[in-house]
Amino acid sequence: MAAITYIQAISDGLREEMQRDDSVFCLGQDIGVYGGAFGVTKDLITQFGEERVWDTPLSETAIIGNAIGAALYGMRPVAEMQFADFVACGFNQIVSNAAKIHYRWGPKVPMVVRLPWGGGVSGGPFHSGCMEAWFFNVPGLKLVCPSTPTDAKGLIKAAIRDDNPVLYFEHKHLYRLPKVKEEVPEGDYVTPIGTARIAREGKHATIITYGIMVHYSVEAAETLAKEGVEVEVIDLRSLRPFDKEAVLASVRKTSRAMLVTEATITGSITGEFAALISDAAFEHLDAPIKRVGALDTPIPYAPPLEQAMLPDVKKIETALRELLAY
Amino acid sequence: MHAIVIPATRGKQSVTPSATGTVWIKKFLDSRLRGNDKKRVSDNMPKTAAPKSLKGKTSLKKEQQLELYRWMVLNRAFDDKISLLYRRGLVIGAAFSSLGQEATSCASTYALNKDDIIGPMIRNSGSMLVKGMAPRDFLANYMFRVNSPTGGRDGNTHMGDLRLGMIAPVSMLGCTIALCSGFVLAARMRGEKRVALTWIGEGSTSTGEFHEDVNFAAVMKAPMVVIIENNQYAYSTPTSKQCLAERFADKAIGYGIKNAPTIDGNDALEVYETTKKAVDAARRGDGTQIIEAITFRRKGHAEHDPAKYVPKELVEYWEKNDPITRFENYLLDAGYANESWIEKLKAQCRQEVEDAEVWVNAQPQPDPATVAQGVYADQPHPAHENDDFLYKQKFH
Ligand SMILES: Cc1ncc(C[n+]2csc(CCOP(=O)(O)OP(=O)(O)O)c2C)c(N)n1
Ligand SMILES: [Mg+2]
């Protein structure tokens, strides 16, 4: 089997699920005839028709609201936000309706919202955001964020088959990045939601991260490996629910923990993991927990500004050295 | 449906449509000034006397008219009970009354088929009753009992039941419209001809949600009817501070929705006929329909609100324009009912609500140990533990 890109993996997963189950359908802006702003849904309309690939008006809240309605009927809608940032315009339906329906009055809401997310592409303040923390605080939602083609496919399938509203964060900088291309498992498989993956094994420190930061963290770890330090990198893959055991097992093994996020650091999800580790593995720690994230600013457009704002391999490496030197 | 005993017919055998209703609504609209005139209070004061009866042009048979009338009486008995329980501290949080608005809920819902769905709002308790929610289940929800649609997890009218085709409202106004259209669009994918009926307060038409959802539904030709319930206040805000359009139904033009009528919302038969026509059109494939129903909120926003901001004379006017009294007068005139039948029916409905209360009082409140159960669908909702419909089958 040939190696495929991250974006191809998402498309393949979507197509296979639509073939497998005729209650799966897609809706969003420009996703049909045009194939989606990034091309994730390319050609789906030719294969499945406009009945199952809805080109919708420019209306995030209506897209999400209609997806909820269809899910109540028993369909499995997959709604696309053209950019994750625009979910701000559909926020209400996700947090007030989708997340609370099962808890309030019982029905399942099996739906997926796809969110092309993340920076590093000079998208500027409105096309680069990391908004997972907005939803991390909302009971009733599931949040997944694959970093590899294998998991991109495995998680889109798992998200579609899940009976809850799932936010699927797909990193748009990874879409066509040649170095993340890989062969994915043959046949039908899912990546179970709520399971982390060890992206790199190590014994001297643990990095807990997700999204594109997995790749940056592994790169930083490889640099240190040349000096004989072995850093373990945990790819969370799911943020809600997250894999507590995998995180704690690694920290207990290495005794040093660092959280890396692409999001602005204050109020990011990293604080939750720091709290977990200090609660459940405090006596194993040899150093204070370290956190790396973006600066507390909106995401600027100009490459020098954006680079100054976002975490990168170098910043992760520097923080790692501090953690190891403590 | 409840068995209804038809009274012996007396007096006139057939009903001649009177023009009262039509003339009244026309004059009412004419008398409304446009714009944010400071004297808006008297602007809303209709210049013609309140109609006493109904227009009376209907396709409903006598039995159906009486049945519809019964739903409205039950609706009022139910709402009266909620007010009373609120004042006694037995209903807590928010309690909403649809006093004076029973026709817009009951008569519109009466135009639906069993498979059609509703997306009610806080003032549509009547629609839930007509769609099949038992008064005791409804009351149990208000009184936070285990045996209720939400099992104490949400209050007041915030409950739904998919088996009955009823989507639970949320507080965020406007949000239900998209759920309704999504539901019937999904049904359409399965070749079903289900129609959704939902309501929105005139104030809530100012939300972006209303605009986005109606526009989306119109473009998708969703088989849905949206009734703008113009009860002239949104909490304390009068219509002139809400929107400058002459009619709220004028918003339909912007969505390409044709012929959105403004009707007398206190004429049950007119509400029925207009909704029926819209529902039929939606079912035929003519797409989303809008109706504006003029009515009046005769109580405060909720039970806590004495509504001092509403001029007394306006309330008095609308007390005279009561949808139930008007229906009664019509039925009496037509010889479809007599006073004693009406009294007996009212007593029956009150009793039904009393019985519901007795049942509810015997139901336990939720167990705190269940508080975290069913945040996700991996666990059942504690009030629906063994519900195969929700957890094993698909809706369709
Ligand atoms: C989005 C939103 N904003 C504010 C409120 C608070 N609120 C609840 S009902 C209401 C008034 C609604 O008026 P209208 O839409 O005319 O309906 P009515 O109460 O008259 O039936 C307000 C302001 C809310 N529930 N949702
Ligand atoms: Mg109102």
Side-chain angles (χ1 to χ4, degrees):
Chain A
M1 211 188 207
I4 60 168
T5 58
Y6 180 92
I7 193 167
Q8 187 65 47
I10 305 172
S11 302
D12 289 353
L14 265 177
R15 182 177 300 102
E16 287 177 23
E17 287 305 291
M18 288 179 78
Q19 266 160 352
R20 187 187 61 82
D21 178 355
D22 71 358
S23 60
V24 181
F25 76 100
C26 297
L27 69 167
Q29 296 157 29
D30 311 297
I31 67 161
V33 177
Y34 184 66
F38 295 98
V40 175
T41 54
K42 195 164 167 281
D43 293 334
L44 286 185
I45 198 164
T46 15
Q47 191 173 348
F48 300 102
E50 52 181 32
E51 267 251 301
R52 288 178 69 196
V53 185
W54 299 3
D55 269 322
T56 70
L58 199 164
S59 225
E60 285 73 17
T61 194
I63 292 167
I64 293 165
N66 276 270
I68 300 170
L72 285 177
Y73 179 80
M75 295 294 189
R76 294 188 174 269
V78 182
E80 176 178 300
M81 296 287 100
Q82 200 152 70
F83 284 79
D85 308 64
F86 300 132
V87 77
C89 307
F91 186 76
N92 185 25
Q93 286 286 22
I94 296 176
V95 302
S96 304
N97 242 332
K100 296 182 170 71
I101 284 175
H102 185 267
Y103 185 79
R104 289 169 57 238
W105 55 291
K108 298 184 283 196
V109 186
M111 62 182 278
V112 180
V113 183
R114 288 185 32 244
L115 300 146
W117 129 107
V121 289
S122 279
F126 308 110
H127 293 76
S128 314
C130 289
M131 56 287 304
E132 61 278 12
W134 301 352
F135 300 101
F136 189 57
N137 188 236
V138 183
L141 299 179
K142 292 192 178 181
L143 276 57
V144 300
C145 46
S147 72
T148 64
T150 298
D151 288 333
K153 187 171 175 188
L155 279 170
I156 193 71
K157 284 172 170 262
I160 289 170
R161 296 177 196 186
D162 201 280
D163 282 339
N164 300 280
V166 182
L167 306 188
Y168 180 93
F169 290 93
E170 47 192 67
H171 206 290
K172 53 188 186 288
H173 196 20
L174 293 177
Y175 275 153
R176 294 180 172 86
L177 208 62
K179 72 173 179 200
V180 308
K181 275 172 77 170
E182 65 180 8
E183 281 185 26
V184 304
E186 298 223 19
D188 189 34
Y189 70 94
V190 295
T191 300
I193 294 178
T195 63
R197 167 184 81 99
I198 299 176
R200 183 185 193 284
E201 281 197 68
K203 50 179 190 265
H204 298 117
T206 298
I207 296 179
I208 300 136
T209 187
Y210 58 101
I212 199 167
M213 290 298 138
V214 171
H215 301 282
Y216 293 179
S217 298
V218 168
E219 219 177 304
E222 295 299 341
T223 308
L224 290 189
K226 289 178 200 133
E227 300 163 24
V229 183
E230 294 300 337
V231 175
E232 184 145 297
V233 179
I234 303 284
D235 175 3
L236 288 167
R237 304 197 291 195
S238 290
L239 302 181
R240 191 178 180 112
F242 62 81
D243 193 339
K244 227 163 141 172
E245 289 319 308
V247 169
L248 291 174
S250 178
V251 173
R252 286 182 183 129
K253 179 171 75 173
T254 66
S255 301
R256 287 170 203 268
M258 181 160 116
L259 286 317
V260 180
T261 178
E262 187 187 332
T264 46
I265 192 74
T266 304
S268 69
I269 68 157
T270 58
E272 191 62 33
F273 289 86
L276 167 74
I277 294 164
S278 93
D279 268 359
F282 183 74
E283 66 275 22
H284 292 273
L285 290 178
D286 288 344
I289 301 161
K290 196 119 192 126
R291 297 195 299 160
V292 175
L295 300 183
D296 281 325
T297 72
I299 308 186
Y301 158 60
L305 294 178
E306 189 186 31
Q307 281 154 23
M309 187 260 183
L310 290 176
D312 58 20
V313 180
K314 198 76 214 147
K315 288 174 195 170
I316 296 169
E317 187 192 318
T318 307
L320 256 184
R321 288 185 190 282
E322 286 168 14
L323 178 71
L324 289 158
Y326 181 87
Chain B
M1 290 276 156
H2 299 264
I4 181 156
V5 186
I6 309 294
T9 305
R10 270 185 224 136
K12 277 185 285 176
Q13 295 294 315
S14 64
V15 185
T16 347
S18 93
T20 349
T22 340
V23 172
W24 177 81
I25 191 74
K26 214 171 159 304
K27 290 203 174 140
F28 175 83
L29 288 174
D30 288 348
S31 70
R32 265 177 51 156
L33 292 190
R34 282 180 230 198
N36 49 359
D37 193 298
K38 293 268 162 33
K39 289 180 289 175
R40 62 176 187 276
V41 163
S42 53
D43 297 347
N44 277 338
M45 187 65 198
K47 298 197 170 59
T48 42
K52 288 205 164 49
S53 182
L54 309 183
K55 206 161 77 173
K57 207 173 153 190
T58 182
S59 54
L60 285 178
K61 291 196 194 69
K62 171 181 152 187
E63 294 74 23
Q64 294 171 306
Q65 295 180 36
L66 292 171
E67 188 183 43
L68 171 55
Y69 170 75
R70 186 191 184 282
W71 283 121
M72 288 167 60
V73 171
L74 182 67
N75 186 178
R76 182 156 303 176
F78 183 81
D79 282 10
D80 284 351
K81 174 59 81 182
I82 298 296
S83 308
L84 193 73
L85 292 171
Y86 179 83
R87 269 176 271 134
R88 289 210 237 123
L90 296 170
V91 159
I92 52 175
F96 300 101
S97 175
S98 54
L99 178 71
Q101 296 181 223
E102 294 85 351
T104 50
S105 292
C106 296
S108 52
T109 309
Y110 200 72
L112 296 180
N113 291 349
K114 190 163 173 292
D115 275 353
D116 293 337
I117 66 150
I118 57 168
M121 292 305 302
I122 48 174
R123 263 174 253 291
N124 302 116
S125 46
S127 72
M128 294 168 143
L129 294 170
V130 175
K131 201 74 177 66
M133 179 65 71
R136 68 181 210 182
D137 293 339
F138 203 155
L139 192 58
N141 203 67
Y142 257 109
M143 295 175 80
F144 43 90
R145 301 305 155 131
V146 177
N147 296 314
S148 70
T150 73
R153 291 180 165 197
D154 203 347
N156 58 73
T157 63
H158 286 179
M159 52 167 191
D161 186 337
L162 286 183
R163 199 181 281 97
L164 299 174
M166 191 185 296
I167 292 181
V170 292
S171 286
M172 290 66 196
L173 295 164
C175 276
T176 300
I177 301 174
L179 271 62
C180 286
S181 61
F183 193 99
V184 288
L185 285 168
R188 189 172 73 188
M189 290 166 82
R190 290 281 185 246
E192 294 187 317
K193 292 206 173 275
R194 292 181 196 246
V195 174
L197 172 62
T198 186
W199 297 259
I200 185 110
E202 88 293 342
S204 306
T205 66
S206 302
T207 60
E209 191 71 45
F210 171 82
H211 165 67
E212 292 199 35
D213 293 354
V214 175
N215 182 64
F216 187 103
V219 170
M220 304 299 288
K221 290 212 175 348
M224 173 166 74
V225 178
V226 181
I227 298 184
I228 302 172
E229 231 174 322
N230 181 356
N231 63 3
Q232 309 186 46
Y233 281 88
Y235 211 145
S236 75
T237 310
T239 52
S240 54
K241 284 193 174 173
Q242 208 64 251
C243 169
L244 297 188
E246 196 173 344
R247 302 183 313 134
F248 282 87
D250 286 345
K251 297 192 179 200
I253 298 166
Y255 312 123
I257 296 175
K258 304 265 165 22
N259 307 322
T262 298
I263 62 164
D264 178 353
N266 285 10
D267 180 332
L269 295 178
E270 184 170 358
V271 172
Y272 170 81
E273 291 302 332
T274 317
T275 311
K276 182 77 171 73
K277 209 171 129 194
V279 166
D280 289 347
R283 203 183 310 281
R284 263 202 313 273
D286 291 356
T288 302
Q289 312 287 317
I290 284 185
I291 298 166
E292 176 185 7
I294 304 285
T295 182
F296 194 78
R297 195 194 74 201
R298 294 213 326 247
K299 283 197 157 184
H301 167 59
E303 289 294 336
H304 70 272
D305 171 24
K308 296 215 175 89
Y309 46 83
V310 180
K312 247 220 212 85
E313 75 264 28
L314 204 52
V315 181
E316 283 164 7
Y317 177 90
W318 285 92
E319 275 165 6
K320 289 192 205 108
N321 192 347
D322 181 74
I324 294 183
T325 313
R326 285 175 62 188
F327 205 162
E328 252 160 55
N329 290 339
Y330 159 85
L331 292 172
L332 289 168
D333 282 352
Y336 287 179
N338 56 42
E339 305 272 3
S340 75
W341 181 84
I342 287 173
E343 278 322 306
K344 225 164 92 193
L345 182 79
K346 286 186 174 170
Q348 250 181 30
C349 289
R350 278 195 299 269
Q351 190 57 45
E352 194 176 332
V353 175
E354 290 303 320
D355 294 348
E357 189 190 350
V358 171
W359 181 83
V360 171
N361 282 329
Q363 303 307 311
Q365 292 183 14
D367 178 356
T370 63
V371 67
Q373 184 186 322
V375 174
Y376 292 91
D378 325 34
Q379 291 176 317
H381 185 298
H384 304 282
E385 292 268 10
N386 302 310
D387 192 331
D388 285 355
F389 182 83
L390 280 181
Y391 296 119
K392 299 227 174 80
Q393 298 167 355
K394 283 194 172 181
F395 192 77
H396 45 86

